Amino acid sequence: QHISFVSNDTQDICQAESLATRKRASAFSAKKAIEDYTQDEELRGLLFEWLDNRKKKRAPETKGAIGQNLDKLAEMAAESNLSLQDYMREIVRMGWQAFYPIRSQQPAQRNDGRDFDWLTGQ
């Protein structure tokens, strides 16, 4: 009777430890995912800044959330006509939690051009 009680205790402790380990592992997975994603130091730095922004906003740091964004990073940068580094610089500057195409620059320049034309009558 006494022996089974001890083994239950040990089992509980093991379960608690594995939970803590799992929690700790997931906290570092985002950092590791970024390190696995690129060897480029500048890009890594920008991605870590993005991660800090997400933390400040209490956005989830799950494998799904971080992984899905990293999966579409190259596509979003390409759609935005920016290098990965320039794209990430903009994302960090705007404080975005997720990656979307950045379109604001091109139309803004066209609108400015049209307004200028209208003002000068040309």
Side-chain angles (χ1 to χ4, degrees):
Q1 181 68 23
H2 184 68
I3 290 167
S4 72
F5 176 73
V6 169
S7 70
N8 279 349
D9 259 6
T10 311
Q11 207 174 358
D12 288 347
I13 290 165
C14 288
Q15 277 182 329
E17 278 176 358
S18 74
L19 262 176
T21 309
R22 249 181 289 156
K23 255 195 149 151
R24 210 173 320 132
S26 72
F28 291 116
S29 68
K31 189 173 188 288
K32 184 167 176 3
I34 287 169
E35 286 168 354
D36 291 345
Y37 181 79
T38 181
Q39 298 298 307
D40 184 290
E41 287 304 317
E42 186 187 8
L43 186 55
R44 273 186 186 180
L46 289 161
L47 283 163
F48 288 139
E49 275 187 67
W50 166 70
L51 210 54
D52 284 344
N53 284 347
R54 285 181 59 91
K55 278 181 190 167
K56 285 175 196 155
K57 295 179 177 186
R58 292 185 165 79
E61 201 174 297
T62 60
K63 186 174 187 237
I66 303 303
Q68 283 165 9
N69 278 294
L70 289 176
D71 286 347
K72 64 182 184 175
L73 172 56
E75 182 190 341
M76 295 298 110
E79 274 189 46
S80 308
N81 294 317
L82 295 168
S83 70
L84 293 177
Q85 290 85 345
D86 286 342
Y87 178 80
M88 282 312 301
R89 241 178 248 113
E90 284 298 295
I91 293 296
V92 168
R93 187 179 66 76
M94 294 184 287
W96 286 2
Q97 293 178 34
F99 302 156
Y100 306 101
I102 298 170
R103 303 196 196 283
S104 59
Q105 289 175 328
Q106 297 97 339
Q109 286 166 344
R110 278 205 299 273
N111 289 343
D112 288 349
R114 271 191 219 111
D115 290 346
F116 181 76
D117 291 347
W118 177 79
L119 287 170
T120 57
Q122 292 173 349

